[in-house]
Amino acid sequence: MASQSPAPDKRSLFQPRVALAAVLGTTVEWYDFALYGTAAALVFNKVYFPDSDPLVGTILAYGTFAIGFLARPLGGAWFGERGDTRGRKNVLVATLLLMGLATTAIGLLPTYGQVGIAAPLLLTLLRFVQGFAAGGEKTGALIILFENAPPKWRGLLTSLPAIGTGSGTLLSTGVFALATGLLSEDAFLAWGWRVPFLLSAVLTLFGLWVRRSLEETADFQQAGLAASDASSARVPLRQRIRDSRVVAAWRRYPREMLIVIGAGSAENAGYYIFGTFSVTYAEDRALPTAALLSGISLVAAVKLVTVPAFGALSDRVGRRPVSIAGALILLIAAWPFFLVLDGGHTWAIWLALLVTLGVGQSAVLGSQPAFFAELFDTSVRFSAVGIANNIGTVLTGGLAPLLATSLLLWFDHSVTGVVVFIALMSGLTVVTVALARETRHIEGRKPATHTDRDLQAAP
């Protein structure tokens, strides 16, 4: 009998359906998550915090916005543990479903005028659920693409979830721009703002259907990392925490964890300052927001090309130079960006958004996913990237709109404090990445080591 030739390793081939499922699912999930940022600036400060000064109301609205980011490390740890022990696909389905339920519920939430203090409290709770789901989503999409990618394409393919975040932002900002353009202010505040949130129910069902086609990664299957629910149930909680993948990641990769936390600071802060806080700044200066909102939508479309382009560039020249260059662009462009907003010229505003978000932030965003995944082995990769990246996002991104609005108030409506903040965050990325080693040529799919096998065998 003729011997069968071995099946080709799927990881040596590009799998479009894996990329499609990951990107479309992330698009749906980030549509949900991004809706809140725009609504916090335009709606929630009026319908959930109406008794405050307009700028103070915005700060309170951004406070609930930040709650979603404070929940992300918890979601990263929770879903990371399950992704490393029960599989990547299960996490991606669970996070999408949870995000969709929370976003649809926000669209049905009564206002402060209808139920009083219960309204902002429920809003805060639902934002927490959104953040918890987001803590596992982007990492899960990154990991499943990384573990299916040919080594020479890891930068390109792992940048694709960022296309999903860009597409989600494009959809959410576009829907809000359409609603504000078609409806009167009274109609928009009364019911129009709810429509984008209620659309989440339809998009979530579509995303779940798409993700049914995903298969578990070969890395996870070959490493034999699946845990037994029955055995883990008999282990005391304290021991389960001590033996968790999150603790193992900190114990075995402390330096790499700190690198991941600091490296994304420019990208995180830049996205939420230039793409979210800028709307608040324009409203505070009584500037028209139509050009800004349309520009953010246009640049989100541009990023569908620039982010993977920078990911592909990192496959050629390395993760470090692309990331550092992007951070330096954000640092240099911060002060001119706000001067351009003050000028009020539509073409100049679009150009400023293109330079900051379309080039600077995209360069960091496109080059870092593969960089992060290449720092860790299979057994703790999901947990390590999930918890470290989400901690960095909270510290340097999620709190950025709240901090920037507070700085605007503190500096008597001057943008100086915000520009200094951007400079510090960009500088942190430059220093952190410069101190890290280049990972482009590192074998990303490490087999389970002796330590890994000990971890798997732990009771």
Side-chain angles (χ1 to χ4, degrees), residues 76-100:
W78 175 269
F79 289 115
E81 183 74 18
R82 277 142 190 81
D84 280 332
T85 58
R86 301 177 189 178
R88 286 44 166 143
K89 176 183 175 179
N90 292 335
V91 167
L92 288 178
V93 172
T95 56
L96 182 59
L97 178 61
L98 191 61
M99 178 71 84

Side-chain angles (χ1 to χ4, degrees), residues 29 44 75 114-115 180 219 242 262 292 367 370 406:
E29 184 135 359
F44 294 159
Q114 293 171 322
V115 297
T180 55
D219 283 17
R242 187 186 64 208
L292 188 56
S367 61
S406 301

Side-chain angles (χ1 to χ4, degrees), residues 153-180:
W153 291 354
R154 285 199 299 251
L156 169 61
L157 294 179
T158 57
S159 71
L160 295 183
I163 290 183
T165 64
S167 301
T169 301
L170 175 63
L171 284 174
S172 64
T173 307
V175 170
F176 258 101
L178 184 64
T180 55

Side-chain angles (χ1 to χ4, degrees), residues 125-150:
L125 175 62
L126 291 171
R127 180 57 178 176
F128 182 90
V129 174
Q130 278 192 322
F132 192 81
E137 160 61 29
K138 190 175 179 181
T139 304
L142 181 166
I143 297 302
I144 206 164
L145 284 170
F146 177 83
E147 293 182 349
N148 280 284

Side-chain angles (χ1 to χ4, degrees), residues 259 262-264 319-324 327 364 367-368 371-372 427-438:
I259 287 172
R319 321 301 184 203
R320 295 168 72 244
V322 177
S323 186
I324 290 173
V364 184
S367 61
Q368 288 192 347
F371 172 54
F372 292 163
L428 180 58
T429 289
V430 170
V431 172
T432 303
V433 175
L435 292 175
R437 70 186 189 277
E438 179 57 60

Side-chain angles (χ1 to χ4, degrees), residues 14 79 114 126 165 172 187 216 228 273 284 290 323 342 403 417 451 459:
F14 175 56
F79 289 115
Q114 293 171 322
L126 291 171
T165 64
S172 64
E216 194 49 74
S228 168
I273 294 297
D284 182 62
S323 186
D342 290 336
L403 178 60
T451 306

Side-chain angles (χ1 to χ4, degrees), residues 243 245 251-252 448-459:
D243 294 337
R245 298 303 198 274
R251 185 173 61 244
R252 293 158 51 192
T449 63
H450 177 70
T451 306
D452 299 334
R453 289 190 291 270
D454 290 344
L455 179 61
Q456 297 160 29

